[in-house]
Amino acid sequence: MSLIHGLSAWLRRPAVMAAVILMAAVASAHGDDDSEGMAHMPMAAALPDDAPAYRWPDEPMGWALKAHLALCLVAYVVLLPVGLVMETARNKYQALFQLGGALIGILGFVFGWVHGHVHNTYARFGWFMLCLLVLQTAINASLTLGVAKRGGRVQLSYRVLGGLQLLFTYMAMVLGVIRYLNLCSQGHLGQCISHFVRGSALMAGAVCILVGMRLFGALMLELRRPIELYVSIIMMTVGLIGTFTEHNFFQSSGEADDVWSHKDLQHTFIGVSWFAGGLLGVLMTWHSHPRSRTPIPSIIFIATGVAMIIHQQDLAMSSHAHFLFGASLVSLGLSTICEITLLASGFVKDRDEPAPFQYLSVFFMCASGMFLMGSNRDMVLFLINSHVDVATYALILLSFCFAIVFYVYLLVDLYFALAGPPPARYHALGESAASERSLDCSPSTFV
C-alpha cells in the first residue's frame, strides 16, 4: 500500500503530469505499429497533385555551402552572442569575441558567394546581415578605442544592435531552411508564412519569459500588474487580426463560390475566442495586484489545443502534426495553471531563482511554437515524400526545443558568471515575504 500511495503522489506532481501528457501525445500521433503500414503509408495513397514537388534537393550540399554554414554558426551562434553578453557584463575581453565573430562571419559570407545561388530571399537577407555586422563591429571598435564614451547612446545602440542581431540570426536560419527545402513556394505562401510567424512568436515569448524569470525574478512583479495582463493584451490583438484575415473578410465578393470551409470557420472562431478571452483577461487583471494572477490565458491555450487535437485535415500526417501542436498547447495551459496555483497558494516560498516547475511552461511554449511551424502544408508534404513518420518528426522538433532552451539558459548563466546574480528584491513585496525568507534561505526548498 505504501508503494501505491508513493506512486500516486509522484504522479500528482505537475512536472510528471505534463511530461506524461506530452509523451502520450507523441505516442497517440505515432499510431499503432500493427496497423496497415507505417504512418506515412496510408497518406501516400491520398497525396495531392503538387506533392511530388516536395523532396530533398537534387543538388547535393557542396563544400562551399558546408563551410558557409559552419563558419556562420560559429560566428553568429557562438562568438557574437557571447561577445554581447560579455559587453553587457562589462568584461574587458568582449572586443576580441566581437572582432573574431565579425572576421569569421565575413569569411562565411565569402563561402556563401562562392557556392552561388545568390538570387533568392536568403542571399538577399545575407546582405542586410553583413551590413548590420559591419555597423555593429564599427560601434564596438569606437567604444573599445575610446572614440565614443561608454554609458551613452553609442553603447546603448550597440546593445540594441546586438539584440537585433540575435533576432535576425534566427530569421536567417528559418529562411535558410525554407530555401533549402523549397518551402513556401508551391502555392501555399500565405499559409506557410502564417505558421512560421505565429510559431516564431510563441518561441520568442518562451525565450523572453525564460530570460525575464532568470534575470529579473521578482522584479517582474514591479510591472504593477500580473503578467497575464500583457499576455491577454497580446492574445486580444492576435485574435482581432485573425478574426478578419482568415477568410479575407475585407475582400469577400459575396459570390456563390465564396464559401466558408470548415477550416475557415474554425480558424476564424479561434480568433474570436482569443479576442473575447483576451478581453476578459484584461478586464480581470487591469486593477489587480501582481500576485493576483488569472488562468484565463491558460484556458484559452487549452481550448485552442483541444481544437487542434480534433482538427481534421485531408492528410493524416497533417492531422497528426496538428495533434502534436494541440497537445503542446494543452500541456502549456495545464502547467501554467499548476504554476499559478502553487505560487498563489503560498506552497512555494519566494526565492531569487525560479522554482523548477516554472520552466515547464517555458518549454511547452517553445514546443508549441516549434510544432506550429512544423505543421505547415509544404513541410507535411515534404515529410511524406521523405518517408519520415510523425513520431520521428516530433522527436526531432523536441530536440530542437531542448537545444534552444539550453542555449538561452547557458547565455544567462554566462552573464551570471561574469556580472554576478541580480540583487534580491523580494523584500519589497511585504513583511510576510521577508519573514518567510528569514525562515528558509535554501533556494531549492519546497514547503
Side-chain angles (χ1 to χ4, degrees), residues 350-352 424 426-427 432-441:
D350 294 316
R351 61 183 67 209
D352 297 330
Y426 283 96
H427 307 285
S432 59
S435 61
E436 288 181 357
R437 175 174 293 277
S438 63
L439 296 176
D440 184 13
C441 300

Side-chain angles (χ1 to χ4, degrees), residues 188-411:
H188 308 127
L189 179 61
Q191 192 255 13
C192 187
I193 292 177
S194 175
H195 277 73
F196 275 103
V197 170
R198 296 184 183 185
S200 299
L202 285 171
M203 295 179 63
V207 171
C208 291
I209 292 175
L210 176 58
V211 174
M213 282 196 312
R214 297 212 63 207
L215 283 182
F216 305 107
L219 293 181
M220 295 182 68
L221 298 177
E222 295 186 1
L223 295 173
R224 300 182 183 278
R225 294 290 186 276
I227 190 65
E228 281 74 23
L229 170 65
Y230 306 97
V231 176
S232 298
I233 292 175
I234 296 175
M235 282 186 164
M236 187 174 61
T237 305
V238 173
L240 183 63
I241 296 173
T243 300
F244 296 104
T245 57
E246 289 294 346
H247 189 68
N248 296 325
F249 178 84
F250 295 105
Q251 300 178 3
S252 179
S253 60
E255 299 178 357
D257 57 347
D258 188 18
V259 296
W260 286 64
S261 65
H262 77 283
K263 294 181 181 180
D264 293 329
L265 289 170
Q266 187 177 69
H267 288 109
T268 299
F269 279 97
I270 285 177
V272 173
S273 65
W274 276 53
F275 175 76
L279 189 62
L280 175 61
V282 170
L283 180 63
M284 294 180 64
T285 57
W286 186 257
H287 296 290
S288 299
H289 188 271
R291 286 188 177 277
S292 301
R293 302 178 62 180
T294 175
I296 295 299
S298 302
I299 295 175
I300 298 175
F301 284 133
I302 294 175
T304 307
V306 172
M308 291 295 103
I309 287 175
I310 62 178
H311 184 57
Q312 296 298 319
Q313 299 280 334
D314 57 344
L315 297 175
M317 173 67 86
S318 183
S319 298
H320 293 331
H322 282 78
F323 179 88
L324 292 172
F325 168 57
S328 61
L329 279 181
V330 172
S331 302
L332 168 61
L334 292 177
S335 61
T336 306
I337 289 178
C338 292
E339 174 189 350
I340 293 174
T341 304
L342 292 175
L343 293 179
S345 63
F347 185 76
V348 179
K349 291 183 177 180
D350 294 316
R351 61 183 67 209
D352 297 330
E353 280 287 329
F357 63 84
Q358 291 183 267
Y359 294 106
L360 283 175
S361 57
V362 172
F363 177 77
F364 285 130
M365 182 175 289
C366 182
S368 61
M370 187 69 73
F371 283 134
L372 178 57
M373 289 194 296
S375 62
N376 68 84
R377 179 77 172 185
D378 290 1
M379 193 67 198
V380 169
L381 294 174
F382 172 77
L383 292 173
I384 295 173
N385 279 274
S386 302
H387 304 291
V388 178
D389 67 291
V390 68
T392 303
Y393 186 49
L395 294 174
I396 292 173
L397 295 184
L398 286 177
S399 300
F400 281 120
C401 293
F402 281 117
I404 292 172
V405 175
F406 167 78
Y407 178 72
V408 178
Y409 197 96
L410 187 64
L411 288 180

Side-chain angles (χ1 to χ4, degrees), residues 92-145:
K92 60 181 180 180
Y93 298 109
Q94 55 86 21
L96 297 178
F97 283 83
Q98 174 67 42
L99 180 60
L103 294 177
I104 295 177
I106 293 175
L107 185 60
F109 283 111
V110 172
F111 280 103
W113 295 325
V114 171
H115 174 71
H117 301 284
V118 295
H119 301 291
N120 54 69
T121 306
Y122 173 72
R124 294 187 183 98
F125 190 75
W127 285 103
F128 171 75
M129 293 288 292
L130 178 60
C131 295
L132 185 64
L133 177 61
V134 172
L135 178 60
Q136 184 182 6
T137 306
I139 295 177
N140 183 267
S142 64
L143 291 172
T144 304
L145 298 176

